[in-house]
Amino acid sequence: MSETVKGRVTIVDTTLRDGMSSVSHQFTAQNVADIARGLDQGGVRTIEVAHGIGLGASSIQYGFAAASDGDYVRAAVDSVENADIAVLYVPGIATLPELQAAADAGAATVRVAVHCTEADCARQPVEWAKERGLNVMTFLMMSHKLAPAPLAEQAAELATYGADVVYVVDSAGAMVPDGAGARVAALRAALDVPVGFHSHNNLGVAIGNALAAAEQGATYIDGSLRGLGASAGNAQTEVLVAAFERAGWDTGTDLWPLADTAERVLAPLMKEPQIIDETALVLGYAGVYSTFFHPTKRAAARFGLAGRDILLELGRRGIIGGQEDMIIDVAAEMAGVSFSGGAPRP
């Protein structure tokens, strides 16, 4: 570490939630326990678990998980000594009874995620969770779609509901460091609560964005081991820790247990290395939600199109998370076929 410590950042790991998207949500409860144990030994104090899309998402639409959300939470809780276990709540997918079940299983933190222009959608789950003593982090997804000032207005609304932390979230991996830093700076100026930053690596700058966010006042930084996450993945936790320490930040973590867990526990479970392939690159370039990665590849194969063209059109139309049905609509329209896959339109 640098001799001069700039400050303290808290590393939050999302291998066991965001990373689920890269393994088709097929980690077993034992896999979760083994990875959570390693993260806990490495000093990570908040570990996010369950289905990649969040609580209640195990379905034909988003993909069935290998175990229930409750099973994942219990497996993680039982395997750690110091870490809090967190879950993701997306209004419209998760329900309050599902959040209650997660809390009953031992989850201490909930991360409520809404589109960056829809802070009001978080009010009910945030207030409900605070009334029951949960720690509440809030996510402004697709934060690149708002300039810093209006993003800060949305963040301030989340704070009025009782959010303990408000995150700038680069869901599409579309940001570069200047933009990440500017958004965090705007939130810091507007809020009395801590600011977090969650990055995706579609443009190859997830670590750089995280460092820029910290320089502007973000004190919660998300990562995932081996970068495992939707599309191009997240900032790589073990690399994130090393980079932050070299840059003079105190992360409160121990690099080597994290590196060992990534190398010896997680890596054998990965279907393929987490890379920036063409589809992941275009997601970031076009500013399209990271979870569109696999559905777009399937639509491209089905309609005989280039995935790049579908994503660029989705980006042009400003499609956001929750509009996954538009992937097929746009692909069918571009291919000039009916929605049933029949003959070309006249």
Side-chain angles (χ1 to χ4, degrees), residues 99-339:
L99 179 54
Q100 181 66 65
D104 291 343
T109 295
V110 59
R111 288 153 53 103
V112 179
V114 295
H115 186 66
C116 62
T117 60
E118 298 175 352
D120 59 312
C121 293
R123 181 169 187 167
Q124 182 190 45
V126 170
E127 292 181 346
W128 186 96
K130 290 302 296 178
E131 288 172 1
R132 287 155 180 81
L134 293 173
N135 182 48
V136 180
M137 299 177 174
T138 51
F139 272 27
L140 287 167
M141 297 188 292
M142 301 288 281
S143 288
H144 75 280
K145 283 187 168 291
L146 278 183
L151 187 70
E153 292 175 2
Q154 293 288 313
E157 189 170 346
L158 292 173
T160 67
Y161 304 151
D164 296 295
V165 184
V166 181
Y167 267 77
V168 173
V169 180
D170 188 15
S171 312
M175 290 185 192
V176 293
D178 284 351
R183 285 167 175 80
V184 169
L187 265 64
R188 286 299 306 124
L191 303 177
D192 293 325
V193 301
V195 173
F197 186 75
H198 177 101
S199 56
H200 280 261
N201 198 41
N202 298 67
L203 299 181
V205 289
I207 299 288
N209 285 344
L211 287 165
E215 291 286 351
Q216 295 300 325
T219 52
Y220 285 80
I221 303 293
D222 282 13
S224 62
L225 295 173
R226 282 287 178 112
L228 195 69
S231 71
N234 303 96
Q236 191 168 339
T237 297
E238 64 276 24
V239 179
L240 191 68
V241 166
F244 265 74
E245 290 186 359
R246 286 298 188 193
W249 295 90
D250 175 13
T251 66
T253 60
D254 186 343
L255 173 60
W256 304 121
L258 298 176
D260 288 343
T261 303
E263 190 77 14
R264 300 172 187 172
V265 181
L266 176 62
L269 301 175
M270 293 174 63
K271 294 182 175 182
E272 57 189 10
Q274 191 78 59
I275 64 170
I276 307 172
D277 68 3
E278 182 190 44
T279 303
L281 169 63
V282 178
L283 280 164
Y285 184 77
V288 176
Y289 200 63
S290 288
T291 56
F292 283 35
F293 181 76
H294 291 295
T296 298
K297 286 190 171 185
R298 291 193 292 269
R302 174 179 173 184
F303 291 99
L305 299 169
R308 176 198 313 173
D309 295 336
I310 299 172
L311 288 170
L312 289 172
E313 179 61 19
L314 290 167
R316 188 188 68 78
R317 298 188 187 193
I319 300 303
I320 65 173
Q323 294 182 300
E324 287 84 354
D325 57 314
M326 288 298 297
I327 298 171
I328 294 296
D329 288 355
V330 167
E333 181 180 324
M334 293 174 68
V337 300
S338 69
F339 288 104

Side-chain angles (χ1 to χ4, degrees), residues 9-172:
V9 294
T10 298
I11 302 297
V12 178
D13 188 87
T14 187
T15 309
L16 298 172
R17 197 282 301 169
D18 210 330
M20 281 281 197
S21 294
S22 288
V23 295
S24 303
H25 321 289
Q26 293 305 297
F27 281 152
T28 66
Q30 185 62 56
N31 296 151
V32 167
D34 293 340
I35 295 167
R37 185 178 301 110
L39 289 166
D40 184 58
Q41 292 170 351
V44 174
R45 292 295 168 258
T46 301
I47 301 169
E48 191 181 41
V49 306
H51 192 283
I53 307 299
L55 291 175
S58 184
S59 62
I60 192 169
Q61 180 177 3
Y62 296 110
F64 290 103
S68 70
D69 292 329
D71 288 341
Y72 286 135
V73 171
R74 280 186 290 272
V77 168
D78 290 346
S79 68
V80 303
E81 295 183 3
N82 299 300
D84 283 345
I85 301 306
V87 292
L88 183 72
Y89 186 107
V90 180
I93 297 176
T95 64
L96 294 178
E98 287 163 338
L99 179 54
Q100 181 66 65
D104 291 343
T109 295
V110 59
R111 288 153 53 103
V112 179
V114 295
H115 186 66
C116 62
T117 60
E118 298 175 352
D120 59 312
C121 293
R123 181 169 187 167
Q124 182 190 45
V126 170
E127 292 181 346
W128 186 96
K130 290 302 296 178
E131 288 172 1
R132 287 155 180 81
L134 293 173
N135 182 48
V136 180
M137 299 177 174
T138 51
F139 272 27
L140 287 167
M141 297 188 292
M142 301 288 281
S143 288
H144 75 280
K145 283 187 168 291
L146 278 183
L151 187 70
E153 292 175 2
Q154 293 288 313
E157 189 170 346
L158 292 173
T160 67
Y161 304 151
D164 296 295
V165 184
V166 181
Y167 267 77
V168 173
V169 180
D170 188 15
S171 312

